[in-house]
Amino acid sequence: MAASLRLRGAASGLRYWSRRQRPAVASLAVVCSRSMASKTPVGFIGLGNMGNPMAKNLMKHGYPLIIYDVFPDACKEFQDAGEQVVSCPADVAEKADRIITMLPTSINAIEAYSGANGILKKVKKGSLLIDSSTIDPAVSKELAKEVEKMGAVFMDAPVSGGVGAARSGNLTFMVGGVEDEFSAAQELLGCMGSNVLYCGAVGTGQAAKICNNMLLAISMIGTAEAMNLGIRLGLDPKLLAKILNMSSGRCWSSDTYNPVPGVMDGVPSSNNYQGGFGTTLMAKDLGLAQDSATSTKTPILLGSQAHQIYRMMCAKGYSKKDFSSIFQFLREEETF
Amino acid sequence: MAASLRLRGAASGLRYWSRRQRPAVASLAVVCSRSMASKTPVGFIGLGNMGNPMAKNLMKHGYPLIIYDVFPDACKEFQDAGEQVVSCPADVAEKADRIITMLPTSINAIEAYSGANGILKKVKKGSLLIDSSTIDPAVSKELAKEVEKMGAVFMDAPVSGGVGAARSGNLTFMVGGVEDEFSAAQELLGCMGSNVLYCGAVGTGQAAKICNNMLLAISMIGTAEAMNLGIRLGLDPKLLAKILNMSSGRCWSSDTYNPVPGVMDGVPSSNNYQGGFGTTLMAKDLGLAQDSATSTKTPILLGSQAHQIYRMMCAKGYSKKDFSSIFQFLREEETF
Amino acid sequence: MAASLRLRGAASGLRYWSRRQRPAVASLAVVCSRSMASKTPVGFIGLGNMGNPMAKNLMKHGYPLIIYDVFPDACKEFQDAGEQVVSCPADVAEKADRIITMLPTSINAIEAYSGANGILKKVKKGSLLIDSSTIDPAVSKELAKEVEKMGAVFMDAPVSGGVGAARSGNLTFMVGGVEDEFSAAQELLGCMGSNVLYCGAVGTGQAAKICNNMLLAISMIGTAEAMNLGIRLGLDPKLLAKILNMSSGRCWSSDTYNPVPGVMDGVPSSNNYQGGFGTTLMAKDLGLAQDSATSTKTPILLGSQAHQIYRMMCAKGYSKKDFSSIFQFLREEETF
Amino acid sequence: MAASLRLRGAASGLRYWSRRQRPAVASLAVVCSRSMASKTPVGFIGLGNMGNPMAKNLMKHGYPLIIYDVFPDACKEFQDAGEQVVSCPADVAEKADRIITMLPTSINAIEAYSGANGILKKVKKGSLLIDSSTIDPAVSKELAKEVEKMGAVFMDAPVSGGVGAARSGNLTFMVGGVEDEFSAAQELLGCMGSNVLYCGAVGTGQAAKICNNMLLAISMIGTAEAMNLGIRLGLDPKLLAKILNMSSGRCWSSDTYNPVPGVMDGVPSSNNYQGGFGTTLMAKDLGLAQDSATSTKTPILLGSQAHQIYRMMCAKGYSKKDFSSIFQFLREEETF
C-alpha cells in the first residue's frame, strides 16, 4: 500500500507549506490556470454550506474536481465552472484517488462510503479518503477498517471554524489517521485551512473536535451564568468581563467571544446573535460527545447538562442563533 | 463624614503607588523602622491562615497593629513582635480608625461587626472598615448600612490568591464601596496585594469574586471532563491540552492550571493535588454563589451543578486536595 | 409556662377529634352560633389567597378572630362579618393568646414577629404562636428562640394543598414544635385541615414540607421526561402511563397528577395547566430546599437541577401555570 | 406469512391464560410429562443469569428446547437435562420456529441475528423471534426489518424484575410488535412472567422499559436526596418516609423500596444493599435512555443527570450494590 500511496499527488510536485510561507500571487485566475494542467483530480462529496466554499478553495489551488452531492442543484455551480459531476460516490472513487467527504451526519457518511453505490464499491488501492464530516469517532473507526480492507487509507479530519473560515480558507483541521499519510492529507487540507493539526490514530480528529466543543459549550454557558449573576448583583458588564479576563475565570468565551451584548465589538452577541456557530450545530456536537461518553462509560456531568441546555434552546426558538445566545436565554426575566 | 475621612492616614504622608512604581529598598527592617513612628495604627481582626500573613505585610510597611482574634493563640506571635492585642472587636474600633477584618464566614463577620462586643459598639466617626472575608454580598450590604448609620465607611474587599499570595503580598483585592474612599483603601490593600480592583458599590467586590470563582469551577470541571473523555478516546493528554489551548475551548484551567498530572509543571495536578485552592473552599464559594442566585432568582444551571459536584467531592475524601482534583475524581475507573 | 398553657382553649371544652370521628352536623350556622359565645378569640395575621379561606374555616368553627394584614383591603371582608381588625401584629398579640400567621416569605414572617410593631412586642406569656408560612427552617428556629424568651410557644405548621384544599378545610399541616403542645395546635389546625402531622422539634414541619416538595418536583420532572421520551419513541401516552403505574416508575405525579394532557381527567394538565400549584410557588419551595441543603452541606444533585428548571420556566412565561406544565415546557418542538 | 404463522404452536392446543385463571396443578412433573410429547421445540439463545431460569420455566411448561450460548459451559446443565444443544444461532433457527433471545447488549443481539452464523442465515418463514434483551429500540427496529425480509416475525420483549422474578416466573414482559402476533408471544412469555404487556409497534417494548427505568432512577435519587436532607434537618427517617408516602412526594422508591436502612424490612437497603437491581445495570439502562433521547432530540434534563450519577457510582465502588445505594453514596459525610 505504501508504494502506491507514495505516488499520490506526485504530478503536482508540491510540498506542503504553511500559510505564512505562501507567496503573494498576482491573480488567482493565473494560479488556477497555470496549475490546472499538472494536478490530478480530487473527488469531493458533499457540497453544502461548508463543502461548497471548501471545494472552491481546492479549485483556486488548481485541483480539478470530481463532484457528487445527493442534491443535483448543489453541483450545478461546479458543473458550470467546468468541473466534472458524477452520479454517485462510487463513480467519484473510480475517477479520483484522493477524495474529500463533507457530510452532515454519521448516517450520511456511512451511506457515502458503504452504501449500495458508495465509495467502497469502486475505490482504488492506495486511494486517500479524507472525511471532514463531524461524526461519531466510533463510526470513523468503522469506516477506516472497511477502507483499509480495500487497500486504501482513511483519515478523519473534522473542521473548526464556520462558513466564513471555510470561504477564506482559514479552517482548522483536526486530523486522525496513520502518521505517515499526514503530509499527503496536509497538501489538500492546507488549501482549505490555516491550521492542520495531527491528533493521532483514526478517530482522534473527531475526538479532539468533540472534546474542544464540549469544553467550549460548558465555558460559554458558565460565562453567561457568571455575567448574568454579576449583572443582577450590580456589576457593570464591561468591568466584570475585564475582571474575569485578568483572573482565573478567564476563557475564550469571556475574552474573545463574550456573550453579553455591548461588551465586545465584532462578535455575534453585539449583532443580535446573528452569524457565528448556530445553537443547532452545538447541540449536534454535544450529542456526539454524549454518545462517545456513554459508550466509553466516561462521566461528563457538565457536558451532559450543556447538551440538554442547548437541546432545550433549540426547542425555544434559538436554533439558528449563535450559541452565545445562551446569555439571552438565561436573561429572560421573570415577570412577577 | 468626608471631612473626617480626609484626615485618615495623613500622618503617613504616603499616597498609593502601584507595585511597579515601588522603589527597591535596601532592607525591610529599615523601611519598617523609618515609617513605624509616623503611621497611625491599623486594626486587624482575624489572624487565621490568610489573616496572619496579611497582617505581617502591613507590619512590614510600617503600620502599627491593633490585633484581635477569637483564638488568643493566634495573637501571640504578634504580641511577641510588639503589636497591641485587645480583647474584643469593640476595643479594636476604640483604638484604630482603619480596620481590616478577615473572617471565615458570614456569621463570623456579623458577630465581629454587630455582636455584643462588636466593632459597631465603639466605632469612631469617619473610620474606614474593610472586610476582606468572602461572604454573601447581601450580608456585606447589611453591614455597610449599619456602619454608615454610625458615620463610618464600610468596604468589602475579598481576595483572590491563596496563602502563598498572601505571604508574598501578591493578593488580588476586589473592592466594593463608595468610589471616593477607594484610594484610602488602596493605601492599605496595596501593602498586601499586587492588584486592587474597584468593582462598584458595596457588595460588588463579593459579587465579582463569587462570579469569577463560579466560572472558574465550571471551566475546571469542564476541562477535567474534556481531558478525561479525550484520553479515553485515545488522545495524548499533552497534545489534547495543546489543541484545546489554541482553540475555542481554551481557558485558565486548561492553559495555566491544567488538572491532568504530567501535562504542566508547577501546578497542583503534578504534585498529587497538594497546595493550591482546596476543594472545601471552592465548595464554600459556590455555596455563596448559589445563595446569591437563589435570592436574586437568577438561573445558574451549571453553577448549581458545580456546587453539588464539589460538595460531593468533599464527602469523598477530596476536601483538602486542590480543586483541580476533580480530574482524579472523574478518573477513578469502573472495575467491571 | 406549662401551667398557663394548660388553660388555653379550656373555655371551649373541646378536645381534638380526627376528621373521621367528626359527627355530621345539621347546619354550619347552628354549629357556629352555638360555639361562638364560648370560644376565646384567635389571632390571624396574613389574609392572602391561603389565609383568607383558612381564617374563614376558623370562623365556621366558632372562633372569634383578631385580624391583621399589611393590606387593609384584605381585612375588609372579615370586618364586615363582625371580626375585629387591628392595626399591627403587636395589637393582635395583645388581644389573643393563640395566633396563626400565614405569610409569603421569611422576611415577612420575621417582620410580623420581630418587627417594630411585631407580635413579640406585646405577646403574652403562655401564648401559642403557630406559623403556617412556608419559610426557611433556620428562620423558624430563630423565631422559636425569641418567642421562647418571652415565655410563649412557637410552632411551625406549613401546609400542603392549595387554595382549593384551604377552602374545603382539607389542608395537610406538618407541625414542628414541643410535643406537649401539639394537641393544642391540633385543636385549631384541625378546623382548617384534614391531616395534622406531628414532625418533631421546631423547624421539622418546614423540613418535612420542603423535602416532600423537592421530591415532588423531581418526580414530576422525571415523569414529564419519561412520558415525553416514550411518546417520541412511539408509545401511546395513556398506555405508557398505565405501564408506569403498574411498574417501579410509579409515583404521585404519574398516577394522580399526570402532566400529559388527555391522560387523566380533573387534573391541571387536562385544563391547560390552569389551577393547581403554580410554577412560581414550586420555584420558591425549591429555593428553600436549596438554602437548607447549602447550609447543612447536603448534596442535592437532582434537587438543585429541579430548582434551576423551575426558575427557568418562571422566566419563560410559565410562572402562573401549574407546575405539571414542565411537560409542555419540554414538549415544545424544535422547528428545524 | 400470516398463513404459515397461524400454524405456529397449534400442536400444543393451548391458548394464553392469565396467571389468575391458571388452574392449580397437582404437580409440575405431571404437567411437564403430559405436555412434553405434544409441544414443538422452542429455541433459546443466551443462558446467562436471566436466560438460565427463564429457559427452565419453559421446560417446566413442557417445551423441548434448542439451546445455544457463546459459552458452552452455560449449556451443559440443559444438555444434561436432555435438551438439544447446537453450535450457533443459525442452527437454532433451523430446528425451531419459535426462538427467544436473552442477551446482554445491542452488539450481542446484532451478532446473534445478523452475524455470520446468525439466526437470519437459516430462519424459516413464519418463525416467531422474540428478543427479551434490553437494547436500543432503534436496534430492535433494525432487526425487525431484517427479520421481516425473511418472512418471519420479530418482537421485542424486554423484562422487568431480576433474577428472583426470573426464577419464580414472575417477570414482567413489555412487548412490542405486530398486534396480531401478540397472543402467540403470550403463550411462551406467560410461562416465564406474570405480566405480559402489549406496548405497540416493534421497539415500544424497549421504549416502555427504558422510560420506566429512567423515571425509576430519577425518583430513587430524588427519594435518597429528600430523605438525606430531611434527616440532616432533624427528621426521623421512618416518620419522614411515612409523611412522604401520604403526600405528593410518594413514589415506588419511597413506599416500596425505600433506600434508607431501617425504614423498611425486606428491601436491599436493609441488607447492606445486597441483591436487587445492580447500579451497573441501572447505568446501562440509563445509557440506552440517553442514546434514545439524543437520537430523537428529546430533552431529558434529570434523566441525563441520573445517568451521570449512576456512572460515577460505578466508578466509586458501588457497581455491584443495589441501585438504592445512592442513599449511602450521598450520605458519606464530610469530615471537616
Side-chain angles (χ1 to χ4, degrees):
Chain A
M1 181 169 70
S4 60
L5 289 173
R6 219 174 298 133
L7 298 173
R8 226 169 29 217
S12 74
L14 279 183
R15 297 306 309 155
Y16 176 78
W17 25 248
S18 89
R19 265 297 152 92
R20 295 214 179 83
Q21 301 169 304
R22 188 182 302 178
V25 289
S27 108
L28 254 176
V30 174
V31 173
C32 291
S33 63
R34 257 198 319 201
S35 52
M36 197 72 84
S38 58
K39 289 183 178 170
T40 60
V42 170
F44 208 108
I45 297 172
L47 286 309
N49 289 339
M50 292 293 287
N52 176 299
M54 288 166 69
K56 284 181 185 161
N57 275 319
L58 282 175
M59 285 167 65
K60 282 186 199 156
H61 283 81
Y63 292 96
L65 300 181
I66 312 293
I67 293 282
Y68 173 74
D69 194 284
V70 286
F71 298 106
D73 280 0
C75 301
K76 191 160 184 311
E77 191 179 357
F78 293 89
Q79 193 157 28
D80 294 348
E83 306 299 338
Q84 191 175 352
V85 176
V86 297
S87 59
C88 67
D91 289 352
V92 176
E94 196 175 28
K95 292 169 189 286
D97 64 1
R98 291 180 290 180
I99 303 176
I100 291 170
T101 50
M102 187 64 184
L103 300 157
T105 69
S106 294
I107 290 166
N108 300 118
I110 292 169
E111 182 67 20
Y113 283 84
S114 311
N117 297 303
I119 292 171
L120 292 173
K121 294 293 184 213
K122 297 190 183 169
V123 69
K124 287 179 276 189
K125 282 203 179 187
S127 289
L128 174 64
L129 311 180
I130 301 176
D131 181 35
S132 282
S133 319
T134 295
I135 60 173
D136 189 332
V139 172
S140 300
K141 287 182 190 173
E142 276 304 309
L143 294 179
K145 270 190 212 161
E146 294 183 41
V147 168
E148 204 176 322
K149 280 183 201 159
M150 310 296 292
V153 171
F154 177 91
M155 302 189 100
D156 56 310
V159 303
S160 169
V163 171
R167 281 194 193 124
S168 63
N170 284 310
L171 294 167
T172 294
F173 288 90
M174 304 183 190
V175 185
V178 180
E179 191 158 12
D180 287 351
E181 305 297 338
F182 179 57
S183 63
Q186 264 182 322
E187 182 194 322
L188 297 180
L189 302 178
C191 301
M192 302 180 282
S194 44
N195 280 304
V196 185
L197 308 171
Y198 182 69
C199 298
V202 161
T204 55
Q206 301 292 355
K209 176 166 181 192
I210 283 172
C211 291
N212 181 74
N213 281 14
M214 185 178 83
L215 178 50
L216 169 61
I218 291 169
S219 52
M220 176 55 81
I221 298 171
T223 301
E225 289 183 12
M227 292 293 301
N228 190 31
L229 179 58
I231 292 166
R232 292 218 188 162
L233 292 173
L235 283 156
D236 171 77
K238 281 194 179 185
L239 179 58
L240 176 54
K242 194 181 137 198
I243 292 171
L244 295 176
N245 291 338
M246 58 191 291
S247 307
S248 49
R250 167 180 59 77
C251 58
W252 185 88
S253 296
S254 72
D255 69 15
T256 303
Y257 207 85
N258 199 288
V260 181
V263 165
M264 294 179 71
D265 291 329
V267 292
S269 63
S270 290
N271 187 26
N272 200 24
Y273 301 106
Q274 301 303 304
F277 184 54
T279 290
T280 295
L281 294 170
M282 181 53 98
K284 178 204 158 192
D285 287 0
L286 290 166
L288 292 172
Q290 182 69 68
D291 288 344
S292 292
T294 300
S295 64
T296 57
K297 297 183 176 173
T298 307
I300 50 164
L301 292 108
L302 298 192
S304 278
Q305 216 54 30
H307 179 207
Q308 297 304 316
I309 292 167
Y310 277 110
R311 183 55 60 217
M312 279 207 304
M313 285 176 67
C314 287
K316 303 275 177 290
Y318 287 77
S319 60
K320 286 177 182 160
K321 296 191 179 192
D322 179 68
F323 80 112
S324 65
S325 60
I326 175 65
F327 177 76
Q328 193 183 40
F329 183 74
L330 294 174
R331 188 84 179 138
E332 291 173 15
E333 297 280 350
E334 300 186 29
T335 52
F336 61 101
Chain B
M1 181 169 67
S4 59
L5 289 174
R6 221 173 297 131
L7 298 173
R8 226 169 32 217
S12 73
L14 279 184
R15 298 307 306 158
Y16 176 77
W17 24 249
S18 89
R19 266 296 154 91
R20 296 216 177 81
Q21 302 169 304
R22 189 182 300 178
V25 291
S27 105
L28 252 177
V30 174
V31 174
C32 291
S33 64
R34 256 200 317 200
S35 53
M36 198 69 84
S38 60
K39 289 183 176 170
T40 61
V42 171
F44 208 108
I45 298 172
L47 287 309
N49 288 340
M50 291 293 288
N52 177 300
M54 287 167 68
K56 283 180 185 162
N57 274 320
L58 283 174
M59 286 167 64
K60 281 185 199 156
H61 282 84
Y63 291 97
L65 299 182
I66 312 294
I67 292 281
Y68 173 73
D69 193 283
V70 286
F71 298 105
D73 280 1
C75 302
K76 193 162 183 311
E77 189 179 358
F78 293 89
Q79 194 156 31
D80 293 350
E83 307 300 337
Q84 190 174 352
V85 176
V86 297
S87 59
C88 65
D91 290 353
V92 175
E94 195 174 29
K95 292 170 191 288
D97 63 2
R98 291 181 290 179
I99 303 176
I100 290 169
T101 48
M102 187 65 184
L103 300 156
T105 69
S106 294
I107 291 166
N108 300 117
I110 292 168
E111 182 67 22
Y113 283 84
S114 311
N117 297 305
I119 291 170
L120 292 173
K121 294 293 185 213
K122 297 189 183 170
V123 68
K124 287 180 278 190
K125 281 203 178 187
S127 289
L128 174 65
L129 312 179
I130 301 175
D131 182 34
S132 284
S133 320
T134 295
I135 60 173
D136 188 332
V139 172
S140 300
K141 287 182 191 174
E142 275 304 308
L143 294 178
K145 270 190 212 160
E146 294 184 41
V147 168
E148 204 177 321
K149 281 183 199 157
M150 310 297 291
V153 172
F154 176 91
M155 300 189 103
D156 55 311
V159 303
S160 169
V163 171
R167 282 193 193 124
S168 63
N170 283 311
L171 293 167
T172 293
F173 288 91
M174 303 182 191
V175 185
V178 179
E179 190 158 13
D180 287 352
E181 305 296 337
F182 179 58
S183 64
Q186 266 182 320
E187 182 193 322
L188 297 179
L189 301 179
C191 302
M192 302 181 281
S194 45
N195 280 305
V196 185
L197 307 172
Y198 181 69
C199 298
V202 161
T204 54
Q206 300 293 353
K209 178 168 179 190
I210 283 172
C211 291
N212 182 72
N213 281 14
M214 184 177 83
L215 178 50
L216 170 60
I218 291 169
S219 52
M220 177 54 84
I221 298 171
T223 301
E225 289 183 10
M227 293 294 299
N228 190 31
L229 178 59
I231 292 167
R232 292 218 187 162
L233 292 174
L235 283 156
D236 172 76
K238 280 195 179 183
L239 178 58
L240 175 55
K242 194 181 137 198
I243 292 171
L244 295 176
N245 291 340
M246 58 192 291
S247 307
S248 50
R250 167 180 60 77
C251 59
W252 185 88
S253 295
S254 71
D255 69 14
T256 302
Y257 207 84
N258 199 289
V260 180
V263 165
M264 294 179 70
D265 290 330
V267 290
S269 62
S270 291
N271 188 27
N272 200 23
Y273 302 106
Q274 301 302 304
F277 184 55
T279 290
T280 294
L281 294 169
M282 181 52 97
K284 178 204 158 193
D285 287 1
L286 290 167
L288 292 172
Q290 181 69 69
D291 288 346
S292 292
T294 300
S295 65
T296 56
K297 297 184 178 171
T298 307
I300 51 163
L301 292 110
L302 298 192
S304 279
Q305 215 55 28
H307 179 209
Q308 298 304 316
I309 292 168
Y310 277 110
R311 184 54 61 218
M312 279 208 304
M313 284 176 68
C314 287
K316 304 276 176 289
Y318 286 77
S319 60
K320 286 177 182 159
K321 295 191 179 191
D322 178 68
F323 80 112
S324 65
S325 61
I326 174 66
F327 177 76
Q328 193 182 41
F329 183 73
L330 293 174
R331 188 85 180 138
E332 291 173 15
E333 297 281 348
E334 300 186 30
T335 52
F336 62 100
Chain C
M1 181 168 68
S4 59
L5 288 175
R6 221 174 297 132
L7 298 174
R8 228 171 26 218
S12 74
L14 279 183
R15 298 306 307 156
Y16 176 77
W17 25 248
S18 89
R19 267 292 156 92
R20 296 217 178 80
Q21 303 167 307
R22 189 181 302 178
V25 289
S27 109
L28 253 176
V30 174
V31 174
C32 290
S33 64
R34 257 200 315 205
S35 53
M36 199 72 85
S38 58
K39 289 182 178 171
T40 61
V42 171
F44 207 107
I45 297 172
L47 286 310
N49 289 339
M50 292 292 289
N52 177 299
M54 288 167 68
K56 284 181 185 161
N57 275 319
L58 282 175
M59 285 168 64
K60 281 186 198 154
H61 283 83
Y63 291 97
L65 299 182
I66 312 293
I67 293 281
Y68 173 74
D69 193 284
V70 285
F71 298 106
D73 279 0
C75 301
K76 192 160 184 310
E77 190 180 357
F78 294 90
Q79 194 157 28
D80 294 349
E83 306 300 335
Q84 190 173 353
V85 176
V86 297
S87 60
C88 65
D91 289 353
V92 176
E94 196 175 29
K95 293 172 190 287
D97 64 1
R98 291 180 291 179
I99 302 175
I100 291 169
T101 49
M102 187 64 183
L103 300 156
T105 69
S106 295
I107 290 167
N108 300 117
I110 292 168
E111 183 67 22
Y113 282 84
S114 311
N117 297 304
I119 291 170
L120 292 173
K121 294 294 184 211
K122 297 190 181 168
V123 68
K124 288 180 275 191
K125 282 202 179 189
S127 289
L128 174 63
L129 311 179
I130 301 175
D131 182 34
S132 283
S133 319
T134 294
I135 60 173
D136 189 333
V139 172
S140 299
K141 287 182 192 173
E142 276 304 308
L143 293 178
K145 270 190 212 159
E146 295 184 41
V147 167
E148 204 176 321
K149 280 183 200 158
M150 310 296 292
V153 171
F154 177 91
M155 302 189 103
D156 56 310
V159 303
S160 168
V163 171
R167 283 194 193 123
S168 62
N170 283 311
L171 294 167
T172 293
F173 288 89
M174 304 182 189
V175 185
V178 180
E179 191 158 12
D180 287 352
E181 304 297 338
F182 179 58
S183 64
Q186 266 182 321
E187 182 194 322
L188 297 179
L189 301 179
C191 301
M192 302 180 282
S194 45
N195 280 304
V196 184
L197 307 172
Y198 182 69
C199 298
V202 161
T204 55
Q206 300 292 355
K209 175 166 182 192
I210 283 173
C211 290
N212 181 73
N213 281 13
M214 185 178 82
L215 178 50
L216 170 60
I218 292 169
S219 51
M220 177 55 82
I221 298 172
T223 301
E225 289 183 10
M227 293 293 300
N228 190 32
L229 178 59
I231 291 167
R232 291 218 189 163
L233 292 174
L235 283 155
D236 171 78
K238 281 195 178 182
L239 178 59
L240 175 55
K242 194 182 137 198
I243 292 171
L244 295 176
N245 291 340
M246 59 191 291
S247 307
S248 49
R250 166 180 60 77
C251 58
W252 185 88
S253 296
S254 71
D255 69 15
T256 303
Y257 207 83
N258 199 289
V260 181
V263 165
M264 295 180 70
D265 290 330
V267 290
S269 62
S270 291
N271 187 27
N272 200 23
Y273 302 106
Q274 301 303 304
F277 183 56
T279 290
T280 295
L281 294 169
M282 181 53 96
K284 178 203 160 192
D285 287 1
L286 290 167
L288 292 172
Q290 182 69 68
D291 287 346
S292 292
T294 301
S295 64
T296 56
K297 297 184 178 173
T298 307
I300 49 163
L301 291 109
L302 297 192
S304 277
Q305 216 56 28
H307 178 207
Q308 297 304 316
I309 292 167
Y310 277 110
R311 183 53 62 216
M312 278 208 306
M313 285 176 67
C314 288
K316 303 277 177 287
Y318 287 77
S319 59
K320 287 179 181 158
K321 296 191 179 190
D322 179 68
F323 80 113
S324 65
S325 61
I326 174 66
F327 177 76
Q328 193 182 41
F329 182 73
L330 293 173
R331 187 86 179 137
E332 292 174 14
E333 297 280 349
E334 300 188 27
T335 51
F336 63 97
Chain D
M1 181 170 71
S4 59
L5 288 174
R6 223 172 296 132
L7 298 173
R8 224 170 32 217
S12 73
L14 279 183
R15 298 308 309 157
Y16 177 78
W17 23 249
S18 88
R19 267 293 154 93
R20 295 216 177 82
Q21 302 169 305
R22 189 183 302 179
V25 290
S27 108
L28 252 178
V30 174
V31 173
C32 291
S33 64
R34 256 200 315 201
S35 53
M36 196 72 82
S38 60
K39 289 183 178 170
T40 60
V42 171
F44 208 108
I45 298 172
L47 286 310
N49 288 340
M50 292 293 288
N52 176 299
M54 287 166 68
K56 284 181 184 161
N57 275 319
L58 282 175
M59 286 167 63
K60 282 187 199 153
H61 283 82
Y63 292 96
L65 299 182
I66 312 293
I67 293 281
Y68 172 74
D69 195 284
V70 287
F71 298 106
D73 281 1
C75 301
K76 194 164 182 311
E77 190 179 357
F78 293 90
Q79 193 156 30
D80 294 350
E83 307 299 337
Q84 189 174 351
V85 176
V86 296
S87 60
C88 66
D91 289 353
V92 176
E94 196 175 27
K95 292 171 189 287
D97 64 0
R98 289 180 291 178
I99 303 176
I100 291 169
T101 50
M102 187 64 183
L103 301 156
T105 69
S106 295
I107 291 166
N108 301 117
I110 291 168
E111 182 68 21
Y113 282 83
S114 312
N117 297 303
I119 291 171
L120 291 173
K121 293 292 185 214
K122 297 191 184 170
V123 67
K124 287 180 276 189
K125 282 205 178 188
S127 289
L128 174 64
L129 311 180
I130 301 176
D131 181 35
S132 282
S133 318
T134 295
I135 61 173
D136 188 332
V139 172
S140 300
K141 287 182 191 173
E142 276 304 310
L143 294 178
K145 269 189 213 161
E146 294 183 39
V147 167
E148 203 177 323
K149 280 183 200 159
M150 311 295 293
V153 171
F154 177 92
M155 302 189 102
D156 56 310
V159 303
S160 168
V163 171
R167 283 195 191 121
S168 63
N170 283 310
L171 293 167
T172 293
F173 288 90
M174 303 181 191
V175 184
V178 180
E179 191 158 12
D180 287 351
E181 305 296 337
F182 179 58
S183 64
Q186 265 182 320
E187 182 194 322
L188 297 179
L189 302 178
C191 301
M192 303 180 281
S194 45
N195 279 305
V196 184
L197 307 172
Y198 181 70
C199 297
V202 161
T204 56
Q206 300 292 353
K209 176 164 181 194
I210 283 173
C211 290
N212 181 74
N213 281 15
M214 184 177 84
L215 179 51
L216 170 59
I218 292 169
S219 52
M220 176 55 83
I221 298 171
T223 301
E225 288 183 11
M227 293 293 300
N228 189 31
L229 179 58
I231 292 166
R232 291 218 187 163
L233 292 174
L235 284 156
D236 172 77
K238 280 195 180 185
L239 178 58
L240 176 54
K242 194 181 137 199
I243 292 171
L244 295 177
N245 291 339
M246 58 191 291
S247 306
S248 49
R250 165 180 61 76
C251 58
W252 185 88
S253 296
S254 71
D255 69 15
T256 303
Y257 208 84
N258 199 290
V260 181
V263 165
M264 294 179 71
D265 290 331
V267 290
S269 62
S270 291
N271 188 27
N272 200 25
Y273 301 106
Q274 300 303 303
F277 183 56
T279 290
T280 294
L281 294 170
M282 182 53 98
K284 178 204 158 191
D285 287 0
L286 290 167
L288 292 172
Q290 181 70 69
D291 287 344
S292 292
T294 300
S295 64
T296 56
K297 298 183 176 171
T298 307
I300 51 164
L301 292 110
L302 298 192
S304 277
Q305 216 55 29
H307 178 208
Q308 297 303 315
I309 293 167
Y310 278 110
R311 182 55 60 218
M312 280 207 305
M313 286 176 68
C314 287
K316 303 273 178 291
Y318 286 77
S319 59
K320 287 178 181 158
K321 296 191 179 191
D322 178 68
F323 80 111
S324 65
S325 60
I326 175 66
F327 177 76
Q328 193 182 41
F329 183 74
L330 293 173
R331 189 84 179 138
E332 291 173 17
E333 297 279 349
E334 301 187 27
T335 53
F336 62 100

